[in-house]
Amino acid sequence: MYTARLFAALLLAVVCLATQEEYDNDILEEGITLTDSQYGSLWPLPQKVQMSTVVFKLSGASFQIVDAKESSSGASCSLLQNAYRRYFEYIFPSARKQGHVKKKTPASAVSELQVWITSADTECDGFPNVTSDESYQLSVDSPVSVLKASTVWGALRGRRPWCFKHTHAHTKKSINRTEISDFPRFAHRGVLLDTSRHFLPIKVILANLEAMAWNKFNVFHWHIVDDPSFPYLSRTFPQLSQQGAFHPYTHVYTPSDVKMIIEFARLRGIRVVPEFDTPGHTQSWGKGQKDLLTPCYSGASPSGSFGPVNPILNTTYEFMSMFFKEVSTVFPDAYIHLGGDEVDFNCWKSNPDIQKFMEQQGFGTDYSKLESLYIQRILDIVSSTNKHYLIWQEVFDNGVKMKADTVIHVWKGNQQQYQDEMSRVTASGYQVLLSTPWYLNRISYGQDWQATYKADPQDFNGTDAQKKLVVGGEACLWGEYVDATNLTPRLWPRASAVAERLWSDKDVRDLNDAYSRLAQHRCRMVQRGIPAEPLFSGYCAYEYKGV
Ligand SMILES: *[C@@H]1O[C@H](CO)[C@@H](O)[C@H](O)[C@H]1NC(C)=O
Ligand SMILES: *[C@@H]1O[C@H](CO)[C@@H](O)[C@H](O)[C@H]1NC(C)=O
Ligand SMILES: *[C@@H]1O[C@H](CO)[C@@H](O)[C@H](O)[C@H]1NC(C)=O
Ligand SMILES: *[C@@H]1O[C@H](CO)[C@@H](O)[C@H](O)[C@H]1NC(C)=O
């Protein structure tokens, strides 16, 4: 029954296909003309949608969802049960009060949705990964509709955003006969949140994971520690957060917090990829781990300040081995993001021991060689835990030797520069992830979602083989000026523009059509309690009422 009701949600979801929404958007900003999308409020747009003019009735009271007889999923799949519970509350906010009474099904109504998981391995108890099959097919017909997916991951994506009518949201629904065949354009569709510049309460992280799922994002890139604070509570080195967090008890993520976040994400088909950025961006590590950072010198004596991780001490690598051994067991994803960006060489240059080491190694004054030596050892350490890694582009730029399956994360430069970088990285045979145009922490007046929407990770000079190395992209929300008070409205619906770029076909680029769908999608998020900011003048049927 859980499964049944989950997919009742699914079906109602499709109502939006049939409903020409009344979102009030008659005055639009320059360059955008008012048109209702023929796709209602679908976001991101499926790869293939076919709607007919045949309309069916749909009533929560007379509708049920069942596992298709052929389905390999059983009632024991708690991932689906859990999904049911969530969506039931979103889609039948009033049905709960009224109870689910099975009434006689009217003629020409959709009375049943059958859910058919086709793989013998449903992956119900597994974790999603970069090769997970997220495709699904949804056929809306009377009396029986069918949602078909290879694994649970596709079934989760097959949930369509449901629609609401302004005046009678929970009463009569109708739905056109519809066929959807859908799959993502890119396998890695991420959102980066930064919990070091400001601590983000768990509740905020979970709410945003939920919003990510509505937008079909599938990776939470957790930039968990950085210079300002170290909120990750390590079992092996508890002093790191004891000394390095903003507060050792109230501003940390305990092992059970981390576990809960990972499970919450899994149930939504979202991977959690943690980032432990070194050797730069590590000031907070130094507070709890003596001798980890390089002492900077002022003339002949230590200045009292510290620089990047000290790459010339054996103890550094002993520490890192133990630390990443723990990290590799705490985070189940196959990938760890190892950072490697923005290493400031000034402190290394000032330190006489480092100077001596440089001389012994024959590095001259090329400190990027020292950085490479360090990164190389970290990559080897992480490889030995059987994890793969992502790294920021500087590591590639500095010519560090990497495993062939390393993913290079491009974040720097203007459009020409990042496109050139994408060309270079893929010419070297590495997989690549784009973030440069999607630094959503940067804000400006007006509809900046449009530039976000226009950027395309495959727009660069390269062969087809090179284009195939683009695994996707990530929207980044760095935390210098962001905490729980403003994170959510800053992220949504601006990240939704990235979501559609990464999910939908590359030819889905019509700004007018996107505006119409996105405005409604944003209202849907608002109705569900996510304070997504407006695109422009207008209103939602259900305005945000605070928490
Ligand atoms: C749904 O059916 C109605 C009634 O036949 C029709 O007017 C409408 O255009 C259809 N919607 C779509 C998106 O095809
Ligand atoms: C992804 O998960 C599936 C199912 O568990 C597994 O067969 C596959 O090898 C995994 N792929 C990677 C790249 O880990
Ligand atoms: C550091 O490790 C290397 C290789 O294991 C060893 O040769 C060297 O003596 C060690 N240095 C110190 C200071 O312990
Ligand atoms: C691709 O190369 C051509 C010729 O060198 C150049 O004019 C163009 O700007 C390049 N495009 C991109 C996206 O870098």
Side-chain angles (χ1 to χ4, degrees):
M1 196 50 197
Y2 274 170
T3 317
R5 281 146 118 206
L6 152 64
F7 290 104
L10 273 164
L11 190 55
L12 277 189
V14 189
V15 172
C16 55
L17 294 170
T19 314
Q20 294 298 311
E21 277 296 332
E22 312 89 313
Y23 184 78
D24 183 36
N25 51 4
D26 43 15
I27 315 160
L28 295 175
E29 213 175 342
E30 205 187 333
I32 299 253
T33 48
L34 167 64
T35 43
D36 272 340
S37 170
Q38 60 168 314
Y39 301 112
S41 65
L42 284 178
W43 193 279
L45 196 66
Q47 299 281 346
K48 267 191 217 143
V49 193
Q50 258 182 4
M51 279 185 276
S52 90
T53 50
V54 177
V55 179
F56 306 124
K57 294 200 183 71
L58 194 61
S59 147
S62 63
F63 182 74
Q64 67 175 359
I65 320 277
V66 293
D67 288 326
K69 274 194 212 66
E70 307 89 330
S71 180
S72 49
S73 72
S76 63
C77 178
S78 65
L79 178 144
L80 292 177
Q81 290 177 12
N82 195 297
Y84 146 66
R85 233 177 269 125
R86 294 197 302 278
Y87 293 120
F88 187 78
E89 292 193 2
Y90 285 131
I91 290 147
F92 301 107
S94 57
R96 226 163 39 130
K97 272 179 256 143
Q98 293 158 6
H100 186 83
V101 188
K102 182 117 169 53
K103 291 203 196 114
K104 197 162 167 279
T105 306
S108 78
V110 181
S111 62
E112 189 168 281
L113 176 65
Q114 299 188 351
V115 179
W116 182 2
I117 308 284
T118 57
S119 272
D121 181 6
T122 62
E123 299 186 29
C124 185
D125 298 317
F127 287 91
N129 66 32
V130 73
T131 59
S132 293
D133 184 352
E134 296 175 284
S135 65
Y136 66 92
Q137 275 122 40
L138 180 59
S139 164
V140 176
D141 210 336
S142 171
V144 172
S145 296
V146 178
L147 172 72
K148 194 169 158 183
S150 160
T151 64
V152 292
W153 314 122
L156 286 172
R157 300 290 172 253
R159 158 187 78 78
R160 299 304 329 164
W162 60 290
C163 276
F164 46 86
K165 281 249 180 198
H166 277 189
T167 43
H168 30 83
H170 315 306
T171 53
K172 288 189 184 120
K173 311 236 180 207
S174 63
I175 186 164
N176 291 45
R177 172 178 282 150
T178 304
E179 299 287 332
I180 291 180
S181 175
D182 203 9
F183 56 87
R185 181 178 168 209
F186 294 107
H188 185 124
R189 306 178 307 279
V191 170
L192 177 151
L193 298 181
D194 168 3
T195 57
S196 173
R197 269 85 183 197
H198 287 95
F199 180 79
L200 299 175
I202 304 224
K203 204 176 138 193
V204 173
I205 296 177
L206 299 186
N208 280 280
L209 283 167
E210 184 75 56
M212 282 173 63
W214 301 339
N215 287 274
K216 295 187 169 38
F217 277 110
N218 67 355
V219 178
F220 168 32
H221 174 166
W222 192 353
H223 189 87
I224 189 165
V225 301
D226 203 299
D227 285 327
S229 78
F230 196 104
Y232 172 74
L233 199 162
S234 161
R235 280 190 202 278
T236 322
F237 300 101
Q239 71 277 16
L240 287 170
S241 59
Q242 193 72 35
Q243 307 294 323
F246 287 132
H247 186 283
Y249 307 122
T250 59
H251 286 52
V252 294
Y253 302 105
T254 66
S256 66
D257 293 338
V258 171
K259 217 172 165 169
M260 189 227 288
I261 286 169
I262 292 170
E263 177 62 5
F264 189 94
R266 185 188 80 83
L267 292 173
R268 287 153 184 80
I270 297 172
R271 301 162 52 200
V272 177
V273 175
E275 178 180 352
F276 288 93
D277 189 359
T278 68
H281 292 276
T282 46
Q283 289 296 303
S284 69
W285 301 52
K287 295 188 177 146
Q289 186 63 23
K290 205 169 145 288
D291 295 335
L292 180 65
L293 302 184
T294 308
C296 314
Y297 276 66
S298 171
S301 49
S303 68
S305 64
F306 293 87
V309 167
N310 192 334
I312 67 168
L313 299 180
N314 286 358
T315 50
T316 291
Y317 301 102
E318 286 156 15
F319 164 80
M320 290 294 177
S321 294
M322 288 171 76
F323 183 75
F324 278 108
K325 197 166 165 202
E326 170 186 315
V327 165
S328 72
T329 60
V330 168
F331 294 90
D333 198 79
Y335 280 84
I336 298 178
H337 201 303
L338 294 175
D341 59 319
E342 298 182 311
V343 183
D344 179 359
F345 296 145
N346 287 318
C347 181
W348 282 350
K349 284 180 187 165
S350 75
N351 181 302
D353 296 327
I354 302 247
Q355 290 162 10
K356 207 168 112 206
F357 183 85
M358 290 284 289
E359 216 173 278
Q360 285 165 359
Q361 298 287 322
F363 287 169
T365 55
D366 187 352
Y367 283 80
S368 71
K369 288 194 171 132
L370 180 60
E371 180 187 352
S372 296
L373 174 141
Y374 168 81
I375 298 268
Q376 193 69 66
R377 291 196 61 177
I378 294 300
L379 298 190
D380 293 344
I381 284 169
V382 172
S383 292
S384 74
T385 68
N386 284 324
K387 294 283 187 187
H388 308 290
Y389 36 77
L390 299 111
I391 41 88
W392 295 110
Q393 70 178 77
E394 285 97 321
V395 177
F396 167 81
D397 296 342
N398 290 339
V400 174
K401 195 172 99 236
M402 292 168 288
K403 284 197 303 185
D405 59 3
T406 302
V407 180
I408 317 292
H409 198 162
V410 170
W411 69 278
K412 290 171 76 166
N414 59 28
Q415 180 173 319
Q416 190 61 57
Q417 288 164 334
Y418 78 69
Q419 289 177 344
D420 290 348
E421 180 79 358
M422 298 289 281
S423 286
R424 281 192 296 272
V425 170
T426 53
S428 306
Y430 287 112
Q431 293 175 289
V432 69
L433 202 58
L434 180 64
S435 276
T436 309
W438 296 325
Y439 267 39
L440 301 185
N441 45 293
R442 299 211 182 104
I443 49 175
S444 60
Y445 192 73
Q447 298 202 29
D448 61 357
W449 69 273
Q450 294 179 23
T452 304
Y453 189 71
K454 284 181 198 157
D456 192 299
Q458 284 178 330
D459 275 353
F460 61 85
N461 279 330
T463 62
D464 287 351
Q466 280 176 266
K467 303 288 167 88
K468 285 209 181 89
L469 290 167
V470 179
V471 283
E474 287 185 359
C476 298
L477 198 69
W478 295 101
E480 284 87 347
Y481 305 98
V482 172
D483 71 4
T485 62
N486 61 350
L487 182 143
T488 308
R490 190 168 291 198
L491 188 57
W492 308 106
R494 295 161 78 234
S496 303
V498 182
E500 177 153 297
R501 180 58 50 239
L502 295 173
W503 178 281
S504 305
D505 188 83
K506 75 175 187 338
D507 293 331
V508 176
R509 311 192 64 84
D510 183 331
L511 286 176
N512 297 325
D513 188 77
Y515 181 92
S516 167
R517 288 181 293 112
L518 185 54
Q520 296 176 56
H521 178 59
R522 177 248 157 189
C523 283
R524 181 164 51 228
M525 292 195 275
V526 167
Q527 187 184 13
R528 291 174 180 179
I530 286 286
E533 68 177 22
L535 297 178
F536 191 55
S537 308
Y539 76 101
C540 296
Y542 300 89
E543 297 291 359
Y544 185 64
K545 296 188 183 69
V547 279

